[in-house]
Amino acid sequence: MKDAEKLNIVIVGTGYVGLTTGVALGYIGHRVTCVDKDRAIIEKLERGISTIYEPGLEELITDDDGAVSFTDDLLSHLPGADIVIIAVGTPAKSNGDTDLSYVEAVAREIGRAMDPKKPPVIVNKSTVPIGTARRVETVIKEELEKRGESCCFSVASNPEFLREGNALHDTLYPDRIVVGAEDMQALNLIRQMYAPILEQIFIPPQAVPRPEGYNLPALVTTSPTSAELIKYTANSFLAMKISFINEFAAIAEKVGADITEVAKGIGLDRRIGPGFLNAGVGWGGSCFPKDVRSILFTAGQYNCDLQMVQAALEVNYRQKVRVIEKLQGMLKVIRGSTVGVLGLAFKPNTDDIRESPAIEVIRMLLDMGARVKVYDPVAENKYRQTFPDQDVVYCRTVEEAARDSDALVILTDWEEFSHLPWPEIGSLMNRQVLVDGRNMLDAEELAGCGFKYSGIGR
Ligand code: UDX
């Protein structure tokens, strides 16, 4: 990248979105400052240690030629920034509304310290309810007024669509980039920021190669409000797609069909598409559950009934109950049984357990008097920290979880679960019952090893 094309970018928040975006923007050539008020996070990042588990990220943090720096001091880095990206957390409130206090706090600091003679473009990347771009603008103006200043500046909405575990891949090779901006100048600067990605003029990092046959991403420009709604619509649709296949998994079981065959049969229709049709214990994570509840809350404020989104949420809860029902069907009595849970993360390649189906399934099992053993290749620590008082037995291997268990339940589709020595594992168990909550295994093969096997919708 030529020096004239390099932008000074400040990105606030070093979660999955902030850190990945910051590191990726540094990699493609910009000068990036990642800000987090948590000093411990910054110290770790300065030492080249990634604070989130994300394939390829640490290599880029240590190998960025000084393009990315880390600090807990936002105020002194604001003057001189061309773009300030807000990527802080937007947790859910108990009523489903979104807590915007972190976003507003950042907006206040921006208003306090930005240079009114050279205002940066503010970019909202946090997933925020409709109208937040305007709210951020108002807060910044208030702070400028307190300083006796005023200036023209722009707040754009630029939602991210990255998946955890594929965060760098999705950032460097997106399907599309959505920018909601009111003025052309802001839009052009954001386009300049993404130019190397839009044109794919960077050398792919070794750990994150460019996918074969990858087409250049589209730049979708909209109003800020449309951009905000695009994020919620996309996540609601994907959550609904999974719940849809899960609903049909129930009928597939009743009529004796195999939902994986059904999913393949419909997914090849280009209008439907093959993605997000894996039936299982349902969706979790930091986005789908929160975003679905948040858009339902917004819809409620407008007296607008999002029936399909509401149903997606209900079907998703039912999937976890289905696991318990399957165990009841096969074990008969849960109380006093030992159940080995394989997988705590909400999906593979992450240690994130937020809204993971495992949380609810384990809670139900414990409530019903089961002894629960758990194994996860990376998420154990997060789970321990989140539920320090929970009475579960942590295991280092699948074999340890299987020993003397009456049943095993797969809740996360970790790659290692797809090629386990099932005959040996079966020989360690008290009873050979297996609920495959992610449809990872071959039913016939497991039955051949003496297992009573049950997938979801097969
Ligand atoms: C999601 C969106 O994909 C992403 O665009 C957005 O920015 C953030 O939310 P993420 O939460 O990282 O990303 O995970 P994703 O891979 O989408 O999976 C979400 C959940 O759905 C996981 O619990 C996963 O196990 C589940 N899932 C996914 C299914 O049950 N079946 C599927 O076919 C696909």
Side-chain angles (χ1 to χ4, degrees):
M1 187 182 273
K2 289 183 205 131
D3 265 357
E5 292 164 357
K6 286 187 184 184
L7 295 174
N8 289 326
I9 300 167
V10 170
I11 181 154
V12 193
T14 57
Y16 282 94
V17 175
L19 186 58
T20 310
T21 309
V23 170
L25 289 172
Y27 180 79
I28 62 174
H30 298 295
R31 288 176 289 260
V32 180
T33 308
C34 290
V35 185
D36 203 297
K37 61 180 191 297
D38 187 332
R39 188 67 216 149
I41 290 182
I42 294 305
E43 275 167 13
K44 259 182 133 178
L45 291 170
E46 277 173 337
R47 279 187 283 134
I49 302 166
S50 179
T51 40
I52 56 171
Y53 178 85
E54 194 57 49
L57 195 59
E58 200 157 276
E59 285 94 311
L60 290 203
I61 293 176
T62 44
D63 194 25
D64 68 358
D65 295 331
V68 184
S69 60
F70 302 99
T71 178
D72 60 353
D73 175 13
L74 171 59
L75 293 181
S76 57
H77 286 84
L78 277 167
D82 298 304
I83 293 183
V84 179
I85 300 175
I86 304 178
V88 291
T90 48
K93 293 187 192 167
S94 55
N95 63 357
D97 193 8
T98 306
D99 177 358
L100 286 178
S101 54
Y102 300 116
V103 172
E104 290 195 9
V106 174
R108 288 211 182 280
E109 292 206 34
I110 294 172
R112 251 173 245 155
M114 77 186 213
D115 179 358
K117 290 189 200 73
K118 190 184 166 290
V121 170
I122 318 297
V123 174
N124 220 338
K125 226 178 209 316
S126 300
T127 301
V128 288
I130 315 301
T132 304
R134 288 180 58 185
R135 174 76 193 138
V136 165
E137 194 179 326
T138 308
V139 171
I140 294 175
K141 275 189 183 147
E142 268 173 21
E143 290 301 322
L144 281 169
E145 270 167 32
K146 283 185 201 162
R147 293 164 56 193
E149 299 278 5
S150 73
C151 67
C152 260
F153 64 94
S154 214
V155 180
S157 167
N158 171 219
E160 57 74 31
F161 303 99
L162 57 86
R163 295 160 299 165
E164 287 179 23
N166 293 286
L168 266 179
H169 174 278
D170 292 353
T171 304
L172 294 172
Y173 315 113
D175 291 335
R176 79 305 203 186
I177 292 174
V178 174
V179 180
E182 301 282 16
D183 79 278
M184 276 313 280
Q185 231 179 328
L187 178 60
N188 284 337
L189 205 67
I190 297 170
R191 195 197 304 261
Q192 183 181 338
M193 174 170 82
Y194 284 122
I197 294 175
L198 289 166
E199 292 151 30
Q200 289 292 303
I201 42 168
F202 60 89
I203 299 164
Q206 228 168 11
V208 198
R210 187 174 289 131
E212 233 169 88
Y214 173 70
N215 291 323
L216 293 184
L219 177 68
V220 182
T221 57
T222 68
S223 71
T225 308
S226 294
E228 286 166 346
L229 190 57
I230 284 171
K231 171 76 186 186
Y232 285 104
T233 314
N235 277 354
S236 299
F237 185 84
L238 292 171
M240 212 169 62
K241 201 174 175 194
I242 302 167
S243 283
F244 179 85
I245 203 70
N246 281 336
E247 198 158 46
F248 272 78
I251 185 149
E253 262 178 44
K254 295 265 188 236
V255 300
D258 181 334
I259 198 66
T260 58
E261 292 175 355
V262 175
K264 187 172 179 204
I266 64 165
L268 286 169
D269 184 328
R270 242 177 281 227
R271 293 167 302 175
I272 297 174
F276 284 71
L277 285 178
N278 294 326
V281 282
W283 37 270
S286 62
C287 286
F288 286 176
K290 177 164 75 79
D291 294 354
V292 160
R293 287 192 198 104
S294 173
I295 196 65
L296 284 170
F297 183 86
T298 302
Q301 288 182 318
Y302 286 81
N303 206 13
C304 190
D305 206 4
L306 295 185
Q307 291 182 28
M308 297 208 277
V309 182
Q310 179 66 42
L313 194 63
E314 284 160 22
V315 170
N316 198 50
Y317 180 73
R318 208 162 67 203
Q319 290 313 104
K320 297 164 227 177
V321 179
R322 294 279 300 125
V323 173
I324 304 295
E325 288 170 351
K326 280 173 183 288
L327 284 172
Q328 285 174 321
M330 294 196 282
L331 293 175
K332 303 302 175 196
V333 184
I334 300 260
R335 188 176 304 281
S337 296
T338 300
V339 179
V341 168
L342 303 184
L344 297 168
F346 82 97
K347 68 171 197 177
N349 298 326
T350 174
D351 63 347
D352 196 340
I353 60 155
R354 282 175 286 179
E355 302 259 0
S356 173
I359 295 172
E360 194 60 22
V361 171
I362 293 172
R363 190 193 59 74
M364 285 191 263
L365 285 171
L366 290 172
D367 281 354
M368 295 177 87
R371 178 168 174 256
V372 179
K373 297 171 102 179
V374 300
Y375 166 73
D376 189 288
V378 301
E380 183 192 312
N381 274 347
K382 279 265 166 80
Y383 194 87
R384 262 183 205 275
Q385 285 159 11
T386 316
F387 302 102
D389 302 323
Q390 203 172 59
D391 188 18
V392 298
V393 182
Y394 291 96
C395 302
R396 293 241 177 85
T397 58
V398 174
E399 283 79 359
E400 221 179 298
R403 186 162 291 119
D404 302 325
S405 281
D406 296 288
L408 283 176
V409 185
I410 297 179
L411 297 182
T412 313
D413 34 352
W414 283 105
E415 164 72 13
E416 70 167 272
F417 299 158
S418 59
H419 39 74
L420 288 169
W422 290 107
E424 282 101 285
I425 290 170
S427 70
L428 299 169
M429 296 175 70
N430 201 12
R431 277 188 282 175
Q432 282 183 253
V433 167
L434 177 58
V435 177
D436 179 0
R438 295 289 182 180
N439 287 343
M440 302 182 74
L441 307 174
D442 185 308
E444 275 176 33
E445 197 187 313
L446 268 290
C449 305
F451 274 92
K452 235 179 167 180
Y453 171 91
S454 180
I456 305 287
R458 320 161 81 181

